[in-house]
Amino acid sequence: MLRSLFRFLGSFKALKEFKGQKVLVVGGAGFVGSNLVKALLKSGPSEIVVVDNLLSAERANLPADPAVTFIEGSITDDNILSELEEDFDYVFHLATYHGNQSSIHDPLADHENNTLTTLKLCERLKDFKRLKRVVYSSAGCTVAEKTFSSAQATTEDAPVSLYLDSPYQISKIIGELYFNYYYKQYGVPAVKARFQNVYGPGEILGAGRWRGTPATVWRNVTPTFVYRAIKRMPLTVENEGIATRDFIYVDDIVRGLMLCASRGRAGEVYNLANGVETSILELATRINELTDNPAPIEFLPKRNWDNSGKRYGSTDKARRELGFEAETTLEDGLAKTVEWTLGNIDLIDSCVRKHKERVPGLPV
């Protein structure tokens, strides 16, 4: 009871930090970004400026609110950068080239939308004198041990392998290194937030433009499984489903991001994790049960690029320094995700359908 009260008070205090503040959210039309914008609006900011090129996002994700200013384009655009005023109090950098498989297909696009976005944003922010915090969304998979045996909780100080699985993972850790440099050299008050596997309402399959592979549509495992199960399609599980992930609900991630901004120490990195290891087979089974999907699970071979078999994040540092703990169980989070998907199925269908002619046999 006391722990829940302390979490509530901590979240309330974090929300108050943004009242009357000017906030920049780069990648704010995406899944996590749009949920963050909606949460920030509850605090009464003076303005939220969203920059997003809609490469993997939909404009419909953003609320129509007078406090929100939307700029369509990439943060790598010099004109957009130069027009940003230097009076921001907080910056959240969530722009990314979404996903491992997309980055493997097109490493140059990953560089353009992951690495270069971070470097050019850092160059612009180094002159901002009013900044309280810059929060960068990194990825837990960059530091997780590459193993299919028993996993240990990945801590923030875990060593980084020189043999990462994808350009996406490389870009994410380079982003951390750039923010470390700009913090030390120019005092940019950067906090790095390492995401685990985020899921929940607002993730639209097929969002944005075609990016070269079916992963443009089937982008993350949870929304893919939920959608396919609702459509009575078989859920495809690689390598017998033995891989494990740390699934964290989007509301928890958003709260963690705001706590990184309000309580995080500049120069530090924090896991935003649930701390619970769940196998992909267990996830598929639960979703089929939730949706009464009669289709049997379809087992496929191991993906040849994926060596991060089993992983989950340590929650100790974020709990100790931020007062952050994930509150939503996987059961509750999946139920809410299924409900949201059913309520937004027409929008998702339309986004999936626009890619159909590019992917022979892609079901909608």
Side-chain angles (χ1 to χ4, degrees), residues 138-348:
S138 188
C141 59
T142 59
V143 295
E145 183 183 3
K146 311 302 180 189
T147 181
F148 276 93
S149 60
S150 180
Q152 302 295 318
T154 304
T155 58
E156 285 84 351
D157 60 356
V160 179
S161 172
L162 295 179
Y163 296 91
L164 295 173
D165 288 339
S166 69
Y168 171 83
Q169 294 179 15
I170 295 168
S171 296
K172 282 300 184 184
I173 204 65
I174 287 175
E176 288 196 27
L177 296 176
Y178 274 135
F179 273 112
N180 290 344
Y181 169 76
Y182 279 86
Y183 165 64
K184 288 288 189 181
Q185 190 72 15
Y186 299 103
V188 174
V191 175
K192 289 89 64 183
R194 287 188 187 147
F195 289 16
Q196 299 299 315
N197 200 300
V198 190
Y199 73 100
E203 186 162 16
I204 303 170
L205 294 173
R209 303 192 296 276
W210 176 248
R211 296 184 299 283
T213 77
T216 300
V217 177
W218 312 126
R219 42 191 291 161
N220 272 342
V221 64
T222 303
T224 295
F225 278 3
V226 168
Y227 179 82
R228 291 174 69 93
I230 288 171
K231 294 290 185 176
R232 302 297 184 253
M233 297 161 58
L235 308 190
T236 55
V237 171
E238 292 91 4
N239 197 25
E240 300 180 347
I242 64 172
T244 61
R245 295 293 184 265
D246 185 331
F247 294 99
I248 182 165
Y249 191 64
V250 66
D251 288 359
D252 288 323
I253 278 285
V254 164
R255 185 166 46 84
L257 286 168
M258 292 192 294
L259 285 168
C260 282
S262 62
R263 293 185 174 184
R265 289 187 290 138
E268 288 295 320
V269 58
Y270 299 96
N271 286 334
L272 297 184
N274 200 23
V276 178
E277 189 179 11
T278 302
S279 76
I280 301 302
L281 180 57
E282 181 182 354
L283 179 74
T285 302
R286 288 189 183 189
I287 290 173
N288 274 341
E289 290 171 351
L290 268 174
T291 57
D292 294 320
N293 182 20
I297 292 173
E298 180 181 334
F299 291 95
L300 300 176
K302 174 185 177 294
R303 297 182 295 190
N304 60 5
W305 58 268
D306 188 2
N307 298 300
S308 299
K310 297 187 176 184
R311 64 174 188 259
Y312 68 105
S314 169
T315 59
D316 293 343
K317 184 177 179 182
R319 183 188 301 112
R320 184 176 64 251
E321 297 192 13
L322 304 178
F324 171 76
E325 289 185 78
E327 296 176 352
T328 308
T329 65
L330 185 60
E331 291 79 7
D332 289 346
L334 288 178
K336 292 175 182 177
T337 305
V338 169
E339 181 182 9
W340 179 87
T341 304
L342 286 168
N344 292 271
I345 199 71
D346 290 342
L347 170 62
I348 300 169

Side-chain angles (χ1 to χ4, degrees), residues 16-22 43-47 89 130:
K16 284 179 63 178
E17 294 284 340
F18 304 100
K19 184 176 179 60
Q21 305 292 288
K22 186 173 180 180
S43 67
S46 63
E47 184 181 10
D89 299 287
R130 185 167 145 178

Side-chain angles (χ1 to χ4, degrees), residues 19-208:
K19 184 176 179 60
Q21 305 292 288
K22 186 173 180 180
V23 184
L24 171 64
V25 184
V26 182
F31 165 43
V32 175
S34 59
N35 276 286
L36 174 63
V37 169
K38 292 169 187 173
L40 289 170
L41 283 171
K42 296 176 183 178
S43 67
S46 63
E47 184 181 10
I48 300 175
V49 177
V50 172
V51 177
D52 199 303
N53 63 0
L54 302 182
L55 179 62
S56 57
E58 295 293 320
R59 177 66 177 85
N61 258 355
L62 280 175
D65 190 286
V68 176
T69 299
F70 176 62
I71 301 171
E72 183 175 348
S74 173
I75 201 65
T76 60
D77 186 321
D78 290 332
N79 291 325
I80 291 175
L81 281 169
S82 65
E83 290 174 4
L84 291 177
E85 296 178 354
E86 298 183 8
D87 58 348
F88 287 98
D89 299 287
Y90 294 95
V91 173
F92 294 89
H93 177 28
L94 307 178
T96 190
Y97 191 66
H98 188 274
N100 289 291
Q101 295 179 77
S102 295
S103 75
I104 291 168
H105 174 75
D106 194 341
L108 293 177
D110 179 84
H111 171 76
E112 175 73 21
N113 294 280
N114 255 356
T115 317
L116 193 58
T117 52
T118 301
L119 177 56
K120 296 193 78 168
L121 180 62
C122 283
E123 269 293 288
R124 183 73 179 101
L125 295 181
K126 71 181 184 182
D127 298 320
F128 286 23
K129 306 303 181 187
R130 185 167 145 178
L131 276 180
K132 296 180 176 71
R133 286 292 181 272
V134 179
V135 181
Y136 168 63
S137 63
S138 188
C141 59
T142 59
V143 295
E145 183 183 3
K146 311 302 180 189
T147 181
F148 276 93
S149 60
S150 180
Q152 302 295 318
T154 304
T155 58
E156 285 84 351
D157 60 356
V160 179
S161 172
L162 295 179
Y163 296 91
L164 295 173
D165 288 339
S166 69
Y168 171 83
Q169 294 179 15
I170 295 168
S171 296
K172 282 300 184 184
I173 204 65
I174 287 175
E176 288 196 27
L177 296 176
Y178 274 135
F179 273 112
N180 290 344
Y181 169 76
Y182 279 86
Y183 165 64
K184 288 288 189 181
Q185 190 72 15
Y186 299 103
V188 174
V191 175
K192 289 89 64 183
R194 287 188 187 147
F195 289 16
Q196 299 299 315
N197 200 300
V198 190
Y199 73 100
E203 186 162 16
I204 303 170
L205 294 173

